[in-house]
Each structure stands twice: as C-alpha cells, then as structure tokens.
C-alpha cells in the first residue's frame, strides 16, 4: 500500500505560522485521484493526504493577526494535507470559519459546497422558479446543489444511477429539497416531458460524470443553455451531437474549484461572501453535511477502501 500512519515532529512555530489541531477530515474522490497520480495537483513526496477538513487553532505566531487560539480553520487552498492530528501552517493557507456550526459541516465545507455555490452562481443568472439539471445528484456536490438551489427557490432535476436501494435514495434526496429525481435510463423516456409541464426546462446542467448520461442530459436543456462539467466519474468523454451546437447554441464550460481559488487569491471579498452565505445556510438548517461515516484515524485503510466502493452514499470522515 502507498499509505502508512507515521509519527512526525511538529515543526517550530514561525512568526506567520499557525499551530492547528485537526478535528475531522473527509476522503474525497479528488484525494484518491491525487494518490493515484491522475490529478493535476501533485504534492512532492512524501506527502500527507487530504485536501479538506477542519481544525482548531492551538497557538499562533507573533505576526498572526486574524487568528487566535480556539478559532476553527479550514484550508484556503488544496493540497494542505489534512489527514493528520496536528500541523503547523502559514496563516495564508487557512480560512477562519465559525465554530458554532456542526463539525462535520465545517469539515466538508471547503470543496463540495463551495463548488456547488460557484457552479450555480457563475454561469447562468438563475431566478426563483428557474430549474437546473444535474447528474450524480447524490454526490457531495449534488447534495449541496439541491439544498443551495432550494434556498433560492430554484428547482432541481436530479439524475442518479439505478441501484438496488433506489426508493431509499429518492426519499433522501427529496427530503433535502430535490424537486425531481430520475434515473439515467429515464432521461430517454417520453415521461420526461411530464416534468416540464410543471417546471421550465433548465438553462443550466451540471455534469460530473461524462459518457452517455451526460449526452442525454443535454437534450433537456433550453436553447442557449449551459452545461458545466466539474468532474468525470465515468472516465468517459463528453459527447455532444453537432445539432446541439448549431440549432440550440448550447454552451459547454468547465469548472475547477482549485483554479477558482487561485484566480481569487487576492479577492478576499468574493471568498468571504461565499463562505458567509454558506455558513448562514448551515446555521438556518438549509445546508447540511452529506451523509457521513465517521472513522477513527487508525482505521484509515478501511475508510479508503470504503470510499472507493461503487454506489457509496456516505462520505468517509476521518476523526483526528
């Protein structure tokens, strides 16, 4: 195995550093891709895994102004290496988050809800009553999209793979605020027309799968609509009929949260506004953590294996 648990010295605290005790850190698909070497971010080895999580500040260097002991922090950018009990990090690598939100919400805040927030906000100007269609609707981003959209009165059509416990999954997504849940097979059925009797066709499609289901999803977009691809779980290309471009002028865009953070490194207002909105939603109970399985760090191997099984409806969270 590429992984082992190792004891390291905690480095000395520099003037601009923050000593953090990690509380909880999830295992995300991108973390697995990073380990497999199929992700554009590669940390110099040996490296600590994990790009997301929440920690508590224990101590700060002399020149650290924005953080104090007791504050909660999350990574400001990818590649922090969160699968550890303690760490010393430069202040600019951390973002303060309120400590009055549930620990699992804070631990899963910096990747999936931020991605969901940006893809809903940055590509089409959606108004209450508009609709969005997305695949892998039970993923971490998918669950966040359902809830953030619901809070703005935007309807969601949610595509999931058929599976043995489908009714249970449909019920769970409806409870989060999904308007419609359909399987990939249903995208091709005439019954899809019934959905559009009560809601408008979507102007925005969100894709993190690729392959056939993505092509099928495109059929239901309004003319001049946009599809944003932020993942490729099927490891298959996005195939688009030429007619979709010529006769419906559909737009195909891409999104990567890591890039957005780089582009907005000096635009703290945009970052703060997004975090504030998400934390408000969490406080109001309108945005919850995805279904989680909490695993002590010692059992990290089992957690990594579980996170790679098909049809996982629960995110593995390492408790540190």
């Amino acid at each position: 195995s590429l992984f082992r648990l190792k004891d390291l010295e905690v480095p000395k605290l520099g003037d601009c550093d923050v000593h953090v005790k990690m509380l909880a850190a999830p295992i995300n698909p991108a973390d697995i891709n990073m380990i497999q070497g199929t992700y554009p971010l590669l940390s110099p080895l040996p490296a600590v895994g994990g790009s997301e999580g929440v920690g508590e500040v224990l101590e700060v260097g002399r020149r650290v102004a924005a953080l104090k002991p007791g504050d909660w922090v999350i990574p400001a950018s990818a590649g922090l290496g969160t699968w550890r009990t303690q760490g010393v990090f430069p202040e600019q690598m951390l973002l303060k988050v309120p400590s009055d939100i549930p620990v699992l919400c804070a631990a899963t805040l910096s990747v999936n809800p931020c991605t969901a927030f940006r893809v809903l906000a940055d590509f089409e100007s959606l108004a209450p009553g508009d609709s969005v269609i997305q695949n892998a609707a039970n993923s971490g981003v998918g669950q966040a999209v359902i809830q953030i959209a619901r809070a703005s009165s935007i309807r969601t059509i949610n595509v999931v793979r058929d599976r043995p416990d489908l009714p249970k999954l449909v019920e769970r997504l409806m409870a989060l605020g999904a308007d419609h849940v359909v399987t990939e097979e249903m995208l091709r059925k005439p019954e899809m027309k019934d959905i559009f009797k009560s809601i408008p066709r979507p102007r925005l499609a969100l894709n993190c799968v690729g392959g056939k289901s993505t092509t099928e999803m495109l059929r239901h977009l309004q003319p001049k609509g946009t599809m944003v691809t932020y993942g490729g779980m099927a490891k298959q290309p996005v195939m688009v009929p030429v007619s979709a471009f010529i006769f419906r002028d559909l737009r195909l865009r891409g999104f990567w949260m890591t890039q957005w953070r780089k582009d907005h490194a000096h635009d703290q207002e945009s970052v703060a506004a997004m975090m504030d909105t998400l934390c408000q939603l969490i406080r109001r109970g309108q945005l919850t953590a995805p279904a989680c399985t909490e695993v002590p760090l010692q059992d990290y191997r089992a957690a990594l294996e579980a996170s790679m099984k098909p049809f996982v409806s629960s995110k593995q969270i390492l408790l540190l």
Side-chain angles (χ1 to χ4, degrees), residues 3-312:
F3 261 98
R4 51 179 205 273
L5 211 49
K6 217 170 139 59
D7 285 317
L8 301 172
E9 284 283 300
V10 175
K12 207 164 131 328
L13 192 71
D15 285 351
C16 301
D17 288 343
V18 180
H19 182 185
V20 177
K21 171 187 185 292
M22 292 302 297
L23 302 172
I27 298 176
N28 288 318
D31 297 321
I32 302 291
N33 297 147
M34 233 184 255
I35 294 158
Q36 292 165 338
T38 58
Y39 203 68
L41 284 183
L42 295 175
S43 306
L45 296 173
V48 179
S51 54
E52 159 171 76
V54 64
E56 184 187 329
V57 174
L58 294 179
E59 199 187 344
V60 299
R62 291 185 306 148
R63 296 176 49 196
V64 173
L67 296 170
K68 59 182 191 309
D71 285 347
W72 277 15
V73 288
I74 63 173
S77 55
L80 192 67
T82 51
W83 300 344
R84 63 173 101 210
T85 53
Q86 296 191 22
V88 170
F89 308 107
E91 178 184 18
Q92 78 266 15
M93 291 179 76
L94 303 168
L95 277 181
K96 183 177 164 174
V97 290
S99 53
D100 64 349
I101 60 175
V103 71
L104 293 181
C105 288
T108 54
L109 184 59
S110 64
V111 178
N112 294 333
C114 289
T115 298
F117 182 90
R118 298 263 53 108
V119 293
L120 284 170
D122 294 353
F123 296 91
E124 287 281 343
S125 43
L126 300 171
D130 282 348
S131 79
V132 172
I133 188 168
Q134 65 165 345
N135 55 25
N138 60 319
S139 67
V141 174
Q143 293 177 55
V145 163
I146 290 171
Q147 296 173 86
I148 295 167
R150 178 26 93 67
S152 308
S153 304
I154 290 161
R155 327 276 185 69
T156 56
I157 301 155
N158 299 282
V159 185
V160 296
R161 288 180 294 177
D162 199 4
R163 64 193 63 213
D165 59 346
L166 185 65
K168 210 152 105 202
L169 176 61
V170 171
E171 196 183 318
R172 210 167 53 114
L173 297 182
M174 297 300 271
L176 287 180
D179 294 280
H180 298 275
V181 182
V182 299
T183 61
E184 293 184 345
E185 291 68 34
M186 272 180 67
L187 284 176
R188 293 176 211 131
K189 302 262 167 73
E191 290 89 331
M192 278 299 286
K193 288 205 180 69
D194 298 339
I195 289 180
F196 301 120
K197 284 176 184 154
S198 60
I199 68 174
R201 284 187 175 269
R203 277 197 316 200
L204 181 65
L206 305 175
N207 165 49
C208 76
V209 179
K212 205 178 217 158
S213 84
T214 302
T215 308
E216 296 296 339
M217 200 164 60
L218 276 177
R219 283 189 191 193
H220 303 293
L221 269 186
Q222 274 188 39
K224 295 201 184 323
T226 304
M227 182 173 79
V228 181
T229 292
Y230 66 91
M233 286 155 77
K235 298 193 167 51
Q236 286 164 356
V238 170
M239 307 286 273
V240 183
V242 167
S243 60
F245 283 128
I246 300 174
F247 303 120
R248 293 198 292 135
D249 190 17
L250 295 186
R251 279 138 232 262
L252 267 63
R253 302 283 308 272
F255 181 78
W256 188 29
M257 194 65 219
T258 301
Q259 189 61 46
W260 188 92
R261 288 194 193 284
K262 273 189 199 138
D263 295 346
H264 294 79
H266 301 296
D267 173 11
Q268 281 315 301
E269 273 168 50
S270 296
V271 178
M274 169 173 71
M275 299 315 281
D276 282 349
T277 305
L278 293 172
C279 290
Q280 291 282 7
L281 290 174
I282 290 168
R283 282 201 199 89
R284 286 190 214 126
Q286 292 178 302
L287 178 61
T288 55
C292 289
T293 304
E294 301 176 39
V295 183
L297 183 59
Q298 289 70 10
D299 302 342
Y300 72 92
R301 281 219 162 88
L304 281 169
E305 270 163 37
S307 72
M308 293 193 267
K309 289 204 176 87
F311 300 121
V312 191

